[in-house]
Amino acid sequence: MQVEALYQDIILDHYKNPHGKGLREPFDAEVYHVNPTCGDEVTLRVRIAGDGDDARVEDVSYDSMGCSISQAAASVMHDLVLGKGVKDAMHLHDEFLALMQSKGQMEPDEDVLEDGIAFAGVSKYPARIKCALLAWMAWKDATLQALETEQATEEESR
Ligand code: ZN
């Protein structure tokens, strides 16, 4: 099987059977992001456990609408960051972002990005890059908000 076809299959599979979809409680922050060029939408919640270096992604839940790439990317992102330390998850965000900005020139590392490698081809199509990044941007935004809230609460209790 050609690698492009294999990647297509991975994306289609996540699109048809999205992992972790649906909004859950409890959560620390919720964001709503839109990709106006394609019409993709995502509402995303994160629950962070622990703080400082021990902060961990306890849950990431989302509700989304849009094209197959945006939907599949949300599912893959969920699998990648769930249960990870926030620092490690941010690193994955940066890796995926680098892949999307690579214009098809970067050989993705499957050990790091797992099913995320299926989006390598998307980086050749500028119009679709935002689709693949939508859920990741929403996750980063929500996570930073959750960490800020946590810090504020801590300072209050001091
Ligand atoms: Zn899209």
Side-chain angles (χ1 to χ4, degrees), residues 35 38 40 66-67 70 128 131:
N35 170 21
C38 182
D40 311 313
C67 69
S70 69
R128 311 313 303 273
C131 302

Side-chain angles (χ1 to χ4, degrees), residues 25-39:
E25 294 185 5
F27 62 96
D28 296 314
E30 178 181 290
V31 298
Y32 171 68
H33 280 218
V34 183
N35 170 21
T37 52
C38 182

Side-chain angles (χ1 to χ4, degrees), residues 22-147:
L23 294 171
R24 287 180 291 279
E25 294 185 5
F27 62 96
D28 296 314
E30 178 181 290
V31 298
Y32 171 68
H33 280 218
V34 183
N35 170 21
T37 52
C38 182
D40 311 313
E41 297 175 33
V42 65
T43 302
L44 183 142
R45 293 174 173 178
V46 291
R47 170 76 174 166
I48 303 292
D51 49 39
D53 287 346
D54 296 326
R56 193 169 51 77
V57 184
E58 189 165 271
D59 196 17
V60 49
S61 67
Y62 61 95
D63 195 19
S64 56
M65 286 186 347
C67 69
S68 56
I69 289 173
S70 69
Q71 303 302 295
S75 172
V76 169
M77 187 270 309
H78 165 271
D79 288 358
L80 279 168
V81 302
L82 188 68
K84 293 255 168 48
V86 168
K87 273 189 184 167
D88 291 344
M90 283 292 175
H91 176 69
L92 288 166
H93 165 279
D94 295 346
E95 279 288 312
F96 192 76
L97 183 62
L99 179 64
M100 285 304 104
Q101 291 170 340
S102 71
K103 300 187 172 74
Q105 298 303 307
M106 186 172 150
E107 196 59 55
D109 186 346
E110 188 169 6
D111 291 338
V112 177
L113 285 177
E114 300 176 22
D115 281 357
I117 61 166
F119 296 87
V122 174
S123 69
K124 284 183 272 187
Y125 305 96
R128 311 313 303 273
I129 294 172
K130 280 186 183 162
C131 302
L133 285 175
L134 180 68
W136 284 93
M137 295 299 173
W139 173 80
K140 187 177 180 180
D141 183 15
T143 300
L144 293 177
Q145 285 186 30
L147 293 174

